[in-house]
Amino acid sequence: VFIGMFYSGRLVWNAVLALSAAIHVDLAKSHSTFTCEPIGLRMCQDLPYNHTFMPNLLNHYDQQTAALAMEPFHPMVNLQCSPDLRPFLCALYAPVCTEYGRVALPCRRLCLHAKLDCQKLMDMFGVTWPDEMECSRFPDCDESYPRAVDLLTSENATKLPPMSVQRDYGFWCPRELKIDPDLGYTFLGVRDCSPPCPNMYFRREELTFARYFIGVVSIVCLSATLFTFLTFLIDVTRFRYPERPIIFYAVCYMMVSLVFFLGFLLEDRVACNAASPADFKASTVTQGSHNKACTLLFMVLYFFTMAGSVWWVILTITWFLAAVPKWGSEAIEKKALLFHACAWGIPGTLTVTLLALNKIEGDSVSGVCFVGLYDVQTLRWFVLAPLCLDVVVGVALLLAGIVALNRVRMEIPLEKENQDKLVKFMIRIGVFSVLYLVPLLTVISCYLYEQSHRAVWETTWVKEHCSRYHVPCPFQVEQTGKPDLVLFLMKYLMVLVVGIPSVFWVGSKKTCFEWAGFFHGRRRKE
C-alpha cells in the first residue's frame, strides 16, 4: 500500500515542487506579514508553536493553498523516513509567526538531515530534491526549528503593528473574489478571479445617480432614433442614397439606447454574479459567455455600436461618390449590397471573435455587458482601434466631398434656387458631421484617458483594500488616484448622444406634413 501511495504521488510531488516559488534568502531578514493566524495545516499540528504568518516562504498567501502543496509529502512523513522532515517542511509552509518584519529560516543542518535520511526512498522512486529546497539556501546553524529566540518573539507577534511592505508580491486574488476555474475569469492578470460588484471605484450612492442618469439619456436617445426610423417608414422613397445610411445609422443607435435602457431596468442582476456568504464569496463582475443574458446584451450593444460607426463611414462614402465623381442616386444604390455586407459583416466578425476569446465583461455602472471594461488590451484593439479608424476614414472622405461640392458651387453657374439648395445641403452635411464627430471624439478621448490611467486606479484600489482582503499590499506605490465619476458619465452620455443627430436630418417641414398626413389618414380611415 505504501509503495502504491509513493508511486502515485511521485509525479504530483514533482509537479507541485516545480511550481513552488523560490525562497528569497536575500530578503529573509524582512518580511511583510499580512496576517498572523493559528496553524490549520494537518501536518503541522502539535509543534512547539501554534501561529504562522502568510504569505509563507514559498509565497503561498493562505493556508488552503499551502495545504494543497503539502499534500504529496504526507506519505513521506507517515513513513517517518526522517524525524527532521516534518519540522523542516512546516518551517517552509507554516513558518513561526515572530515579530513583524522578521523571518525565521530553518537551519542548514535540519535540511541536510532530512535530505540524507530520505535519500534512499527518493532514489527508489526517482524523486530528486528540488532546487527550491536546496540546503545551501539556508543559514549555517545546527538548531531545531523554531529556535528559542523565535518562540520568545512569537508570543507578542500579534500585538505589534504591521510593518511596511518590504518587497512586491504582486496581486493575489482574495478568497472572496475567487471564481470557478472552468469559467475562465481573469482580474488584474490573475486567473480564476473577478472584480468586485458593485463597481470597485465608486460608492453605491454615486452608482445610483449614474444609473438614473444613463437611464434618462437612453430614453431621450431611444425616442430620437425611433422617431427617425418611423419617419422613414412613413415614406420609404423619401430617403434615398446618399441619405439612406442615416436611417440605418439611426436604427443602430436605437438598439444601443434600448440596451442601455434595459441595463437601467435590470440594475446589477445581469452584470454581476450573486454573492454567496455561505461560501465566503462576494458579488463579482460577470465575465465570459456563461451568462446568457449578459452575452445577449453584449452582442447587441457591441454589434450595433460598431455597425453605427461603420454606417457613418458609409454615409461619408456616399456623399463622396455624389460630390466628386458625380454619381447619381441610382448608381450609388447599385452598391447597396456591398454597403450592407461591410456594415453588418465587419461588426459581426468582431463580435464573434470576442465571443470566441471569451472577453465579455459586466458593467456594474450601467448594468449592461460590454468589452474592455477591465481588460486594457481588449479595449485598445476591439474598441479604440475600430472607432479611430472610422473617424480617420470618415473625416477624410467628408472633407473631400465638401471641397468638391464647394468647387461645384464656385465654378459652375447655377440658378439661384439650385445654388441655395446646394448651400443648404452642404450646411446640413457640416452640421450633421459636427453633431456626430464631437460626441464620438469625446468618447474616444474618455477611452484613451481611461486606458492610460487604469493601472494607477487598480493599484490604488489594491492598496486601499489589501488589508480587508488579507492579500499583499503594493510595494513602493509612486502614484495613486481614483477615476472621476464625471468622466464615466461623460462617456456614457456621448455614447448615447451620438445617435441623436439623426433627428436633425429628418427634422423639416416636410416631416411635419408627413406625420400630419399620417395621423389624418388614420382618423379618416377610422
Side-chain angles (χ1 to χ4, degrees), residues 403-415:
V403 170
L405 287 176
N406 187 61
R407 186 181 297 115
V408 170
R409 186 181 68 86
M410 298 296 293
E411 296 180 356
I412 302 178
L414 298 173
E415 296 180 2

Side-chain angles (χ1 to χ4, degrees), residues 202-509:
F202 305 115
R203 300 188 304 273
R204 188 170 292 276
E205 54 270 21
E206 292 178 324
L207 293 175
T208 301
F209 174 78
R211 187 70 54 79
Y212 278 94
F213 176 82
I214 296 171
V216 171
V217 178
S218 66
I219 292 174
V220 175
C221 181
L222 180 61
S223 302
T225 51
L226 182 61
F227 174 78
T228 302
F229 181 59
L230 294 178
T231 301
F232 167 73
L233 293 181
I234 291 176
D235 186 4
V236 178
T237 60
R238 174 184 168 186
F239 300 98
R240 303 179 64 188
Y241 284 94
E243 299 177 80
R244 182 65 62 86
I246 295 177
I247 304 303
F248 302 116
Y249 161 89
V251 170
C252 291
Y253 283 98
M254 179 179 68
M255 299 302 297
V256 168
S257 57
L258 177 61
V259 171
F260 275 107
F261 179 68
L262 291 176
F264 165 72
L265 297 178
L266 294 171
E267 296 182 341
D268 292 335
R269 288 190 288 272
V270 173
C272 298
N273 299 312
S276 178
D279 298 327
F280 303 99
K281 301 296 184 184
S283 179
T284 55
V285 171
T286 302
Q287 295 184 37
S289 56
H290 69 95
N291 188 318
K292 301 300 184 292
C294 183
T295 303
L296 181 61
L297 288 180
F298 156 76
M299 291 175 63
V300 176
L301 180 57
Y302 182 80
F303 175 81
F304 283 104
T305 299
M306 294 296 110
S309 63
V310 175
W311 272 116
W312 180 77
V313 174
I314 293 176
L315 182 62
T316 61
I317 293 175
T318 57
W319 283 340
F320 177 82
L321 293 176
V324 180
K326 306 297 187 299
W327 284 24
S329 177
E330 294 78 7
I332 298 176
E333 193 167 357
K334 291 180 180 179
K335 304 295 182 181
L337 185 60
L338 178 61
F339 295 153
H340 282 277
C342 294
W344 309 121
I346 295 175
T349 302
L350 293 175
T351 304
V352 172
T353 302
L354 288 170
L355 288 172
L357 295 175
N358 212 33
K359 293 296 184 179
I360 305 171
E361 295 171 342
D363 185 359
S364 55
V365 177
S366 64
V368 302
C369 292
F370 200 58
V371 63
L373 300 166
Y374 298 93
D375 189 340
V376 175
Q377 292 294 331
T378 307
L379 171 66
R380 190 173 296 146
W381 294 108
F382 286 89
V383 179
L384 274 174
L387 291 180
C388 290
L389 180 62
D390 289 344
V391 168
V392 171
V393 175
V395 169
L397 292 170
L398 182 66
L399 292 177
I402 293 177
V403 170
L405 287 176
N406 187 61
R407 186 181 297 115
V408 170
R409 186 181 68 86
M410 298 296 293
E411 296 180 356
I412 302 178
L414 298 173
E415 296 180 2
K416 185 70 168 61
E417 182 180 355
N418 292 334
Q419 194 169 24
D420 290 342
K421 288 183 178 180
L422 183 59
V423 171
K424 290 181 180 179
F425 183 72
M426 292 174 60
I427 293 175
R428 293 179 70 191
I429 292 176
V431 174
F432 179 83
S433 302
V434 169
L435 292 177
Y436 174 83
L437 284 174
V438 170
L440 183 59
L441 291 175
T442 305
V443 170
I444 292 175
S445 300
C446 291
Y447 279 131
L448 289 173
Y449 180 83
E450 184 178 339
Q451 66 100 25
S452 63
H453 288 73
R454 183 82 62 80
V456 175
W457 299 343
E458 292 170 346
T459 302
T460 303
W461 178 83
V462 175
K463 180 181 178 182
E464 293 179 350
H465 294 80
C466 56
S467 299
R468 169 191 171 188
Y469 286 122
H470 300 291
V471 298
C473 294
F475 177 61
Q476 292 182 347
V477 178
E478 298 179 356
Q479 183 181 1
T480 59
K482 293 183 178 181
D484 194 341
L485 181 63
V486 175
L487 173 71
F488 281 75
L489 294 181
M490 181 66 67
K491 180 181 69 174
Y492 293 115
L493 173 64
M494 293 304 165
V495 166
L496 292 167
V497 165
V498 166
I500 297 179
S502 59
V503 174
F504 167 78
W505 195 264
V506 301
S508 63
K509 292 182 179 180

Side-chain angles (χ1 to χ4, degrees), residues 160-176:
L160 298 176
M163 294 183 64
S164 60
V165 181
Q166 301 297 323
R167 63 184 171 108
D168 191 3
Y169 288 88
F171 176 72
W172 286 342
C173 186
R175 177 174 60 175
E176 295 88 341

